[in-house]
Amino acid sequence: MEKTASLEELIKREYRTMVCTMAFGEITVSEPCKRVGISRKSFHTYFESRDDVLARILYDDIGAPIEKIFPLFRNQNAPVSVPIMNTMVYQAILDHKEFYQRLVTQNQERIFVHAFQKCLMVSHTFTNDSLGGKKGEEFEYASRFLAAAQAAIIVQWIRSGMEVTPEQLSEWFGAWSASAVQSVAWGEDPEGK
């Protein structure tokens, strides 16, 4: 099983390199296969498409760290720190600045936004389930609202050169949205009324 994980990681690493060095339109499924030395059939053992590779990279950068840190809050009976989690997301993107800038500035914003929203939806569901929050249609809409807002803010941040610190961006986003989403997810009134 370890060999399987290594090959998957190698494909993702090559994909990152290709995004940083090639025009996005030139990246096909065949290209990482050629670079890694595998067949298309082997590629499809791990990924459905090149967009699926991107979605998994975003999950590795963004979703997985959130899922790892979340139990720490629960184990210490501490409230979930949305600012800490948002800062982690923004810092992960900043850590791979060239990759994300190339992806967004090559007019691939749609692919990035779709993969990012999908990643955040998984994280929102995980967070909500872990906290025993409400389920249902209103949570689904609120979660999609949050994911779309985060994606729009991050695209702007990337396009503007990522000069704003992850901490500042997290503070702004928290001020704009956290209490409203918390209200929907857990039934708390953000105004305390």
Side-chain angles (χ1 to χ4, degrees):
M1 200 80 143
E2 187 174 310
K3 187 175 182 179
T4 302
S6 298
L7 187 53
E8 181 180 346
E9 290 304 312
L10 187 56
I11 292 167
K12 289 187 285 190
R13 224 179 341 222
E14 282 302 317
Y15 187 89
R16 277 189 198 269
T17 300
M18 289 185 297
V19 167
C20 291
T21 59
M22 300 171 64
F24 194 79
E26 296 173 8
I27 301 172
T28 64
V29 169
S30 298
E31 189 62 29
C33 292
K34 183 170 63 173
R35 290 176 179 224
V36 175
I38 61 171
S39 68
R40 286 177 65 96
K41 183 177 181 179
S42 293
F43 175 91
H44 289 295
T45 300
Y46 305 101
F47 304 100
E48 294 176 19
S49 65
R50 71 178 184 166
D51 293 354
D52 186 34
V53 179
L54 175 61
R56 298 267 201 76
I57 289 170
L58 263 66
Y59 177 78
D60 289 350
D61 289 351
I62 299 163
I66 289 173
E67 288 185 15
K68 286 178 185 171
I69 195 172
F70 197 82
L72 299 175
F73 290 112
R74 232 177 22 177
N75 290 343
Q76 296 177 5
N77 290 323
V80 174
S81 175
V82 174
I84 288 174
M85 290 196 300
N86 282 340
T87 300
M88 286 177 57
V89 168
Y90 306 142
Q91 186 62 52
I93 292 170
L94 185 60
D95 289 346
H96 300 283
K97 183 177 182 176
E98 182 183 8
F99 172 76
Y100 288 105
Q101 283 182 319
R102 290 274 302 184
L103 187 66
V104 169
T105 59
Q106 289 191 59
N107 294 321
Q108 298 307 316
E109 182 178 316
R110 176 193 59 80
I111 293 169
F112 169 78
V113 168
H114 177 74
F116 185 77
Q117 287 178 322
K118 182 177 177 183
C119 177
L120 283 182
M121 289 297 296
V122 170
S123 293
H124 295 167
T125 300
F126 175 81
T127 302
N128 187 55
D129 290 349
S130 297
L131 290 174
K134 288 194 263 182
K135 303 272 188 214
E137 191 173 27
E138 187 178 13
F139 172 76
E140 179 73 19
Y141 276 91
S143 189
R144 288 186 183 280
F145 163 76
L146 179 61
Q150 281 273 32
I153 288 165
I154 289 173
V155 165
Q156 174 59 30
W157 183 52
I158 292 169
R159 286 192 184 276
S160 68
M162 302 167 94
E163 297 295 323
V164 174
T165 67
E167 294 79 11
Q168 181 64 62
L169 197 59
S170 177
E171 184 181 318
W172 289 346
F173 187 76
W176 300 329
S177 65
S179 62
V181 172
Q182 186 175 4
S183 164
V184 172
W186 298 289
E188 296 172 10
D189 182 352
E191 302 292 319
K193 297 175 185 174

